[in-house]
Amino acid sequence: MKALLYLLFVLCTITSVFSQSGINRFLTPSDTLHTPRRNALVITEASVIGLSLVGLNQLWYADYEKSKLHTLNDNDEWLQMDKFGHVFSSYQVGRAGAELLHWSGVRKKDQLLYGATLGFGFLTVVEVFDGYSKEWGFSWGDMISNAGGTGLYVGQELLWKEQRITLKYSFHQTKYASQRPDKLGEGLLEEILKDYNGQTYWLSANVHSFLKNEKIPKWLNVAFGYGAEGMLTGNSETEDLSFLNQNRKRQYYLSLDVDLSRIKTNSHFLKSVFSVLNVIKVPFPTLEFTDKNGLKFHTIYF
């Protein structure tokens, strides 16, 4: 959940930077190193990250008792939905970091070295914060997930020089949040961040980039999703008898999607908007499979 919160903060910052200027020329990526852009970007990112870490420490950790650095094995909690959140956040923040360096005219190698690793670096610091909090702990599972998200972005750039497979997110409200609002959120905004039952993470693969068939729209994707529901606690075992009857299950999805970054437009403002919105899976008819209920068809799934 914290990983999604960090991602939303970064995306809102990027959107704000882009929307402050209506000049298409300003948003056009530089062909060569644009030193003023790069310097302004580095200063802005350092300031935003620094302030967000200070704010996070005060708003999130200040009310909890400190401890010595310790680890926590939480790999079996929430049916790994929290781990998918870390993969997604690391990938998307890294993607944003690399694209902003590209806008500044930074060479490709440095985009991957300093931009694509932004999410991994930021989330590593947060993981250290967890390690010094008695309430949580440093999770190697989270670190592996963070590395996985960064690796997915960097690996595709090295292999294909493009993102043929993107990570996306969708959410729908569930009945579970009202049963435990303190843990799963109260109201839509909190539930988007906290209710793992309503979250779905997608691997969205671009069909045209793999098949190279001109008859296939360049924006058309096939998406494979993972979700889970029936979760009121982190795992199925709890000392609280009111949460014993949990019908926890994994969900797998197959659907279509749109890669907004591949929609052709000469407007760099629209390209910037599409890049930000491309974190969200576009609703489409969807097949769902669970080991308990078999196949289920959704006319529209989000």
Side-chain angles (χ1 to χ4, degrees):
M1 186 272 289
K2 292 197 293 296
L4 278 177
L5 183 60
Y6 311 145
L7 174 64
L8 289 174
F9 178 80
V10 172
L11 292 179
C12 287
T13 302
I14 294 170
T15 305
S16 175
V17 171
F18 283 153
S19 63
Q20 287 175 1
S21 175
I23 304 175
N24 195 56
R25 178 181 173 184
F26 171 75
L27 294 173
T28 304
S30 177
D31 293 331
T32 58
L33 178 62
H34 194 296
T35 304
R37 284 187 182 182
R38 183 202 60 189
N39 293 346
L41 178 61
V42 170
I43 293 172
T44 300
E45 286 183 344
S47 301
V48 169
I49 291 174
L51 289 173
S52 62
L53 288 173
V54 171
L56 181 66
N57 185 60
Q58 292 299 315
L59 296 175
W60 194 286
Y61 296 99
D63 294 334
Y64 295 95
E65 185 179 349
K66 301 293 184 181
S67 70
K68 293 182 179 180
L69 182 64
H70 63 286
T71 60
L72 171 70
N73 185 354
D74 59 352
N75 294 333
D76 63 343
E77 293 195 357
W78 301 110
L79 295 179
Q80 292 77 52
M81 286 298 293
D82 56 327
K83 304 309 177 211
F84 277 90
H86 278 268
V87 174
F88 172 78
S89 298
S90 180
Y91 172 88
Q92 291 295 353
V93 175
R95 178 180 71 89
E99 288 182 356
L100 286 171
L101 287 180
H102 170 65
W103 169 75
S104 302
V106 174
R107 61 178 182 170
K108 188 69 174 181
K109 178 181 178 181
D110 289 338
Q111 291 175 31
L112 298 181
L113 185 60
Y114 301 111
T117 59
L118 186 64
F120 180 79
F122 182 82
L123 292 173
T124 297
V125 176
V126 174
E127 204 60 46
V128 173
F129 282 0
D130 281 351
Y132 281 103
S133 175
K134 192 172 183 179
E135 181 74 11
W136 294 284
F138 185 96
S139 169
W140 283 110
D142 288 351
M143 288 297 297
I144 292 172
S145 300
N146 297 338
T150 299
L152 179 62
Y153 182 88
V154 173
Q156 291 186 86
E157 290 297 320
L158 294 176
L159 181 62
W160 297 314
K161 295 182 173 57
E162 64 175 348
Q163 295 297 297
R164 296 186 180 183
I165 302 172
T166 59
L167 277 171
K168 294 196 175 187
Y169 170 85
S170 66
F171 177 81
H172 59 273
Q173 287 186 289
T174 72
K175 63 183 180 181
Y176 302 101
S178 61
Q179 299 178 51
R180 202 179 181 195
D182 61 317
K183 193 70 173 179
L184 302 179
E186 186 172 4
L188 179 60
L189 182 58
E190 284 192 7
E191 291 170 28
I192 288 174
L193 299 174
K194 293 183 176 182
D195 187 6
Y196 291 122
N197 299 282
Q199 298 174 6
T200 307
Y201 293 98
W202 302 84
L203 280 174
S204 185
N206 185 256
V207 180
H208 181 272
S209 65
F210 282 104
L211 299 183
K212 304 298 183 182
N213 189 327
E214 294 303 320
K215 294 182 180 180
I216 300 174
K218 293 184 178 181
W219 47 261
L220 180 63
N221 281 21
V222 173
F224 306 90
Y226 174 74
E229 69 172 17
M231 302 176 293
L232 295 173
T233 60
N235 52 53
S236 58
E237 297 180 2
T238 175
E239 295 179 0
D240 191 333
L241 296 180
S242 62
F243 297 133
L244 283 178
N245 296 321
Q246 298 185 65
N247 184 26
R248 303 158 67 88
K249 61 181 178 182
R250 303 178 188 273
Q251 300 159 307
Y252 305 92
Y253 299 94
L254 175 64
S255 183
L256 296 177
D257 187 30
V258 175
D259 187 341
L260 298 176
S261 68
R262 295 178 186 267
I263 295 178
K264 190 174 182 179
T265 175
N266 293 324
S267 169
H268 286 281
F269 175 75
L270 284 179
K271 288 180 180 180
S272 301
V273 172
F274 287 158
S275 178
V276 173
L277 295 179
N278 211 38
V279 304
I280 300 173
K281 161 73 168 64
V282 177
F284 266 103
T286 300
L287 276 177
E288 173 190 343
F289 173 78
T290 66
D291 56 356
K292 295 183 178 181
N293 300 330
L295 284 174
K296 180 180 179 181
F297 178 74
H298 300 270
T299 305
I300 291 292
Y301 178 84
F302 193 71

